[in-house]
């Protein structure tokens, strides 16, 4: 979780040539486009979604749905909350934390879904780079959320402590977000290979999902700078 307001430096004014609302609007459009493509891919090409089914790939499909839309995209929206939500600083914090909580819950359920799929399909767990970095990201994200809650929202937290922690909170938060982007990208590539996709319609959709996720990550990063 990253508080955009804590990342500003004197040198950041050089980025002001890009209006913040232009960047966030572009990121929101990417959010919509990625959501549509993921739903088309999973519902039209991959037989749909189910947490319990004799058709095991339906169970797996819960994983990319929640990890991309629920975890990655909601994390990005949480970071951009300080730019896109016209309200008080206190409400910014609450909205920021709430969106990150949604992302964390979605991520946990997404991980449970893929473990369930592996168990029922006889596939070993955590054997790819995608799974390694994915679990690391979820664990760090959860720890970051808990520590952020205790530091920035817990009534008894000292102001001096918050001031010292804020720069590290921002740095660690944006690092975890880009770990999530890397996880999503490696997952897209891994699935493309596992499904033996080629130059067909499904292959194009999967590739565009990966491309738009990358652009979304860049856009969110720019909102921190501008």
């Amino acid at each position: 979780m990253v508080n955009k307001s804590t990342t500003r430096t004197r040198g950041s004014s050089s980025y002001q040539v890009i209006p913040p609302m232009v960047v966030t609007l572009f990121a929101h459009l990417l959010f919509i486009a990625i959501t549509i493509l993921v739903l088309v891919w999973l519902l039209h090409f991959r037989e749909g979604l189910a947490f319990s089914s004799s058709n095991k790939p339906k169970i797996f499909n819960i994983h990319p749905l929640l990890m991309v839309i629920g975890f990655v995209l909601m994390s990005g929206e949480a970071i951009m909350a300080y730019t896109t939500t016209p309200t008080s600083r206190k409400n910014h914090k609450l909205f920021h934390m709430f969106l990150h909580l949604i992302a964390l819950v979605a991520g946990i359920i997404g991980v449970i879904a893929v473990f369930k799929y592996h168990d029922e399909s006889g596939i070993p767990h955590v054997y790819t780079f995608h799974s390694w970095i994915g679990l690391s990201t979820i664990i760090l994200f959860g720890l970051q959320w808990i520590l952020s809650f205790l530091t920035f929202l817990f009534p008894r937290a000292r102001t001096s402590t918050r001031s010292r922690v804020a720069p590290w909170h921002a740095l660690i938060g944006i690092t975890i977000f880009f770990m999530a982007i890397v996880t999503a990208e490696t997952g897209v590539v891994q699935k493309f290979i596992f499904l033996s996709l080629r130059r067909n319609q499904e292959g194009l959709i999967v590739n565009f999902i990966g491309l738009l996720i990358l652009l979304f990550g860049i856009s969110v990063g720019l909102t921190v700078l501008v």
Side-chain angles (χ1 to χ4, degrees):
M1 287 161 286
V2 56
N3 180 336
K4 179 194 158 199
S5 62
T6 64
T7 63
R8 291 192 181 277
T9 63
R10 292 181 180 179
S12 67
S13 61
S14 61
Y15 296 100
Q16 293 297 329
V17 67
I18 307 174
M21 288 308 299
V22 172
V23 180
T24 53
L25 177 60
F26 182 62
H28 293 326
L29 292 175
L30 289 171
F31 184 112
I32 295 170
I34 293 167
T35 300
I36 292 172
L37 286 178
V38 169
L39 290 174
V40 168
W41 177 43
L42 298 177
L43 298 178
H44 179 67
F45 292 97
R46 292 289 108 201
E47 304 179 46
L49 308 159
F51 204 78
S52 180
S53 175
S54 57
N55 187 354
K56 303 308 177 187
K58 286 187 176 183
I59 300 174
F60 172 83
N61 290 345
I62 297 291
H63 178 69
L65 177 75
L66 293 180
M67 301 312 290
V68 173
I69 299 174
F71 187 61
V72 175
L73 298 187
M74 290 304 295
S75 294
E77 288 293 330
I79 293 171
M80 295 188 293
Y82 287 90
T83 299
T84 59
T85 310
T87 184
S88 66
R89 180 170 175 77
K90 181 179 179 180
N91 287 337
H92 272 148
K93 287 183 180 179
L94 292 173
F95 191 50
H96 176 77
M97 292 290 289
F98 178 69
L99 289 178
H100 269 125
L101 180 60
I102 293 175
L104 179 59
V105 172
I108 291 172
I109 296 173
V111 170
I112 291 172
V114 77
F115 270 82
K116 186 175 188 291
Y117 166 73
H118 281 204
D119 277 334
E120 296 184 11
S121 303
I123 300 173
H125 298 297
V126 195
Y127 68 98
T128 64
F129 175 70
H130 166 71
S131 60
W132 291 1
I133 194 171
L135 277 179
S136 300
T137 302
I138 285 288
I139 292 169
L140 289 174
F141 191 98
L143 291 174
Q144 168 85 333
W145 193 92
I146 293 170
L147 292 174
S148 299
F149 177 83
L150 295 176
T151 303
F152 297 104
L153 290 182
F154 191 65
R156 295 184 181 181
R158 296 180 179 179
T159 303
S160 59
T161 301
R162 291 172 180 172
S163 298
R164 289 196 303 270
V165 170
W168 290 102
H169 168 76
L171 175 62
I172 295 171
I174 200 68
T175 300
I176 293 173
F177 173 70
F178 280 106
M179 286 177 66
I181 295 293
V182 172
T183 301
E185 297 290 25
T186 55
V188 168
V189 173
Q190 181 175 293
K191 199 61 181 174
F192 189 99
I193 294 171
F194 285 179
L195 294 174
S196 299
L197 298 179
R198 296 291 185 269
R199 291 183 179 178
N200 52 27
Q201 194 173 25
E202 183 179 2
L204 286 174
I205 287 176
V206 172
N207 279 341
F208 269 108
I209 289 172
L211 176 61
L212 296 185
I213 288 173
L214 175 61
L215 293 176
F216 180 77
I218 294 170
S219 299
V220 172
L222 281 174
T223 66
V224 175
L225 294 175
V226 301

